[in-house]
Amino acid sequence: MAKKTYDLLFKLLLIGDSGVGKTCVLFRFSDDAFNTTFISTIGIDFKIKTVELQGKKIKLQIWDTAGQERFHTITTSYYRGAMGIMLVYDITNGKSFENISKWLRNIDEHANEDVERMLLGNKCDMDDKRVVPKGKGEQIAREHGIRFFETSAKANINIEKAFLTLAEDILRKTPVKEPNSENVDISSGGGVTGWKSKCC
Amino acid sequence: MEEPPLREEEEEGDGDEVGPEGALDKSPSQLTAEDVYDISYVMGRELMALGSDPRVTQLQFKIVRVLEMLEALVNEGSLEAEELRMERDSLRKELQALRREGPSAGGEVSLGPDKMVVDLTDPNRPRFTLQELRDVLQERNKLKAQLLVAQEELQCYKSGLIPPREDPGRRREKDALVARTSNASCNNEKTIIKKLFFFRSGKQT
C-alpha cells in the first residue's frame, strides 16, 4: 500500500477579495515563483507543500479560493474542513481592507469554530501605492485576536514565515498522537483525527 | 420646445374678424407674408389720405422698400420654420415608435429586478450552472490530488525509498491485492480521496 511520506496533514484555506494576490502568495510558497499576469482563479484550486516542524513532516494542503462574488457558494463549502484560514487583503486597495469584516463573518458562518485564522496585508513591496497603513492591519488583527503579517509575494517577504507560523499554531493545538506504526491507516488522515471528529 | 400656435389657424381664426389692421398687433415671430401685405395695404391707404405732398411720395418709396425687406425676412423665416416643423414631426414619430417598442421589448426582458438578459449569439455567454462548475472543479482537484500522490510514490521508487523488489511476504500481499477485483482498487482510490478530501466527507457524513 501507499507509504506515508508525512506525519500530519494540515488543510489551509486562502480567502480575500479578488486580485489581492492569494494565488501569488500560494505560488510563492509552493513553487517559490511569481507571475505578474493576473489570472482570476476559477472557483477553487489547491497546492501541496510538505514542511518540517518540530521534527514532524507536515503536509500542507492549501486551498486557494476565487475572490469573486460569483464563486462564493462554491468556495464557502470549502471552509468547513480548513484547519487554518489566511485572510488576505491588498495594502494598495482600501476596499479589500474594508471587506475584511465581511470575510471574517464568512469564517464565522462557514468554518470550524476552532479554525486558526491569520490576516495578511499583501503587496507590501508597493509602498508608494499604499493606502492601508500597517497600523490599521495590526489593529484589526488585534481586535480579532489573530496574527498579522504584511507580505509580498513578488518580493518574497514574510510568505514562508506566514505559512510556517500558521502551521505551527495548528500543530500546537493538534493533540499529540504518536503513530504506533509507520504505516498509519491513511484514511484516518494521520494525526488530524481530533479535527475530523469535530466536524462530523 | 413649445411651438407657437400654427400660423394657418391664426389667419383663419383672427384674420376675418380683425381685418388688415390686425396684422400690426401680431408678434413679429408670427408674422407672415400675408400680414406684410395687409400692413402695406393699411399704410398705403393712410399715406394716400395724406394727399399728394412730394414729401409724402418720398416717404412712400422708403416705406415700400422697408416693407419689401420685411417681406423677404418673413418669407425666409417661415421657410426655416417649415423645415423645423418637418424635423420636429419626424422626431415625434421616431419617439412614438421607440415608446411603442420600449414597453413591449421591456416586457419580455424585465421579468424582475434580479433577472439577467443573455445574448444567445454571444459565444461567451454563460451557459453552465454553478453545480456543473462545482462538479468539474471537484473532479479536477480529485485528479490533481491523485496525480500528486502518484508523483510522490514514483519519487519514492526512484529514490529507492521503496525497493522495486520486495521480500516474499510483501510480494504475496501485493499479489493478493492485485488479484482482488477492481473493487479493491476502487476502495484504495477512495481512501486516497478520502485522505485528501475529508474536507467534503466531513460535511457529508
Side-chain angles (χ1 to χ4, degrees), chain A residues 27-68:
Chain A
F27 195 47
R28 170 61 76 189
F29 180 61
S30 66
D31 295 70
D32 194 23
F34 181 78
N35 198 337
T36 43
T37 51
F38 175 58
I39 301 164
S40 192
T41 303
I42 295 175
I44 185 115
D45 199 356
F46 77 97
K47 281 195 177 288
I48 300 273
K49 170 116 174 166
T50 305
V51 296
E52 206 166 323
L53 285 175
Q54 298 167 17
K56 286 196 168 64
K57 273 194 176 162
I58 297 167
K59 191 171 198 166
L60 301 178
Q61 188 183 80
I62 309 155
W63 292 86
D64 180 23
T65 62
Q68 291 177 347

Side-chain angles (χ1 to χ4, degrees), chain B residues 75-91:
Chain B
N75 279 333
E76 207 177 295
S78 71
L79 217 66
E80 268 174 21
E82 186 60 32
E83 273 171 17
L84 286 171
R85 234 190 313 279
M86 280 165 70
E87 201 179 321
R88 178 202 64 189
D89 289 345
S90 76
L91 283 172

Side-chain angles (χ1 to χ4, degrees), chain B residues 125-151:
Chain B
R125 69 183 183 273
R127 57 184 104 189
F128 301 112
T129 65
L130 202 60
Q131 189 53 48
E132 286 168 325
L133 176 64
R134 196 196 295 264
D135 292 345
V136 170
L137 285 173
Q138 259 174 43
E139 188 175 4
R140 195 269 310 263
N141 289 335
K142 186 181 82 178
L143 293 171
K144 197 167 154 183
Q146 286 178 330
L147 173 69
L148 287 170
V149 168
Q151 278 177 335

Side-chain angles (χ1 to χ4, degrees), chain B residues 5 33 36 43 57 64 118 164 176 184 199:
Chain B
V36 177
M43 291 184 84
T57 316
V64 167
V118 174
F199 250 50

